[in-house]
Amino acid sequence: MFTPRIALASLSGESDAAWARAVEDHAGAAFLGGIALDDAARDAAREIVRDRDRNEFLPTDPYAFMDEQLAALDDAPLRPGFNVRSSTAEPVRRAAAICADHDAVIEINAHCRQAELCDAGCGQTLLRDADRLCTYVRTASETGTAVSVKVRTEVAGVDLPTTARRLDEAGADIVHVDAMDSEGVVADIADATDAFVVANNGVRDRETAVEYLEYGADAVSVGRPSDDSEVLSRVRTAVEDWFSASAVQS
């Protein structure tokens, strides 16, 4: 899917092409965004900016913004992706088609837990509506681009390994897991799906990266310290060493 097997996880309002290019030599993939696509998601993002003093990408035309940002990474030595939020499926199709033009990954956001986004039908609300989430995946997959779904553990009432299996069957290529404080769930997800599993949360060094790889993750992603080249260098070295040792043992 990408090498080295370390990705930069999206940070709302911060993860643009310049962010990715600044550390492009340390990662195999970079997920830009997240970006709100439809009116409900964009209204929710505006509320978050107003009420929570958070950064959000709110360009006049989100699709033109995606195209512009991905074009800036066309010659980058990493695979770009774009994390998107939508309360309906059709905007995801349009965004996925843009990603396909740039050999980028579309990442469906079933992860954000802010009440504004959940009330709009976005983010982790989708984990409780697996039928709708799978529709998003099938809709995006029809464009021919690779599809990732960003999920999180510890959502009440959600059997995440079962959901991951359904996403795989719907056409997801990547399941990007924010493990929260339930790191062991990564092993259950890896057992449940043939999709490429990217593990996220607290990845900072050799110990934290290797823990996820030993659980069966195919790659890891770095969140908040994604602009810290020293952290990324440590994680990349750990990941490459782990896979090199695994290849020798096999």
Side-chain angles (χ1 to χ4, degrees):
M1 189 62 64
F2 54 82
T3 56
R5 295 192 192 199
I6 169 177
L8 311 177
S10 64
L11 302 171
S12 295
E14 300 177 35
S15 299
D16 58 8
W19 160 85
R21 298 230 71 146
V23 288
E24 63 186 11
D25 293 332
H26 296 286
F31 292 99
L32 280 59
I35 189 165
L37 298 177
D38 67 351
D39 289 343
R42 286 168 63 80
D43 286 345
R46 291 188 188 97
E47 288 182 38
I48 289 171
V49 171
R50 183 191 67 213
D51 299 337
R52 297 176 182 263
D53 194 28
R54 282 170 52 102
N55 293 327
E56 291 286 341
F57 291 120
L58 283 165
T60 301
D61 184 338
Y63 305 103
F65 178 76
M66 287 182 63
D67 191 40
E68 171 192 285
Q69 293 293 309
L70 291 173
L73 295 174
D74 280 344
D75 63 346
L78 48 69
R79 188 171 192 182
F82 228 112
N83 180 290
V84 302
R85 307 167 181 152
S86 182
S87 66
T88 53
E90 190 55 36
V92 176
R93 184 194 306 276
R94 185 173 173 185
I98 293 168
C99 289
D101 288 342
H102 296 280
D103 192 29
V105 179
I106 181 86
E107 181 165 85
I108 298 166
N109 187 316
H111 169 263
C112 284
R113 56 185 173 178
Q114 289 82 6
E116 296 88 346
L117 290 167
C118 291
D119 290 346
C122 305
Q124 71 177 27
T125 296
L126 287 166
L127 292 177
R128 297 193 178 99
D129 189 355
D131 289 342
R132 184 159 62 100
L133 182 54
C134 287
T135 295
Y136 284 24
V137 171
R138 285 190 290 270
T139 298
S141 183
E142 288 170 359
T143 68
T145 200
V147 180
S148 173
V149 184
K150 181 76 178 288
V151 302
R152 72 163 65 248
T153 65
E154 303 179 6
V155 178
V158 174
D159 181 336
L160 202 51
T162 297
T163 299
R165 182 170 61 249
R166 290 192 61 187
L167 296 175
D168 182 1
E169 292 168 352
D173 302 282
I174 300 171
V175 178
H176 189 174
V177 187
D178 181 344
M180 303 291 288
D181 293 319
S182 301
E183 293 88 350
V185 176
V186 171
D188 299 328
I189 293 170
D191 287 341
T193 178
D194 291 327
F196 191 87
V197 175
V198 180
N200 168 263
N201 199 299
V203 177
R204 301 288 188 274
D205 51 24
R206 181 174 297 274
E207 180 182 4
T208 51
V210 167
E211 179 182 14
Y212 285 128
L213 298 176
E214 289 180 340
Y215 280 133
D218 297 293
V220 297
S221 72
V222 178
R224 289 294 163 194
S226 58
D227 60 353
D228 188 327
S229 59
E230 291 186 8
V231 169
L232 296 177
S233 180
R234 288 199 301 268
V235 174
R236 175 175 178 167
T237 298
V239 169
E240 291 182 330
D241 288 350
W242 195 89
F243 280 107
S244 294
S246 297
V248 170
Q249 292 169 8
S250 63

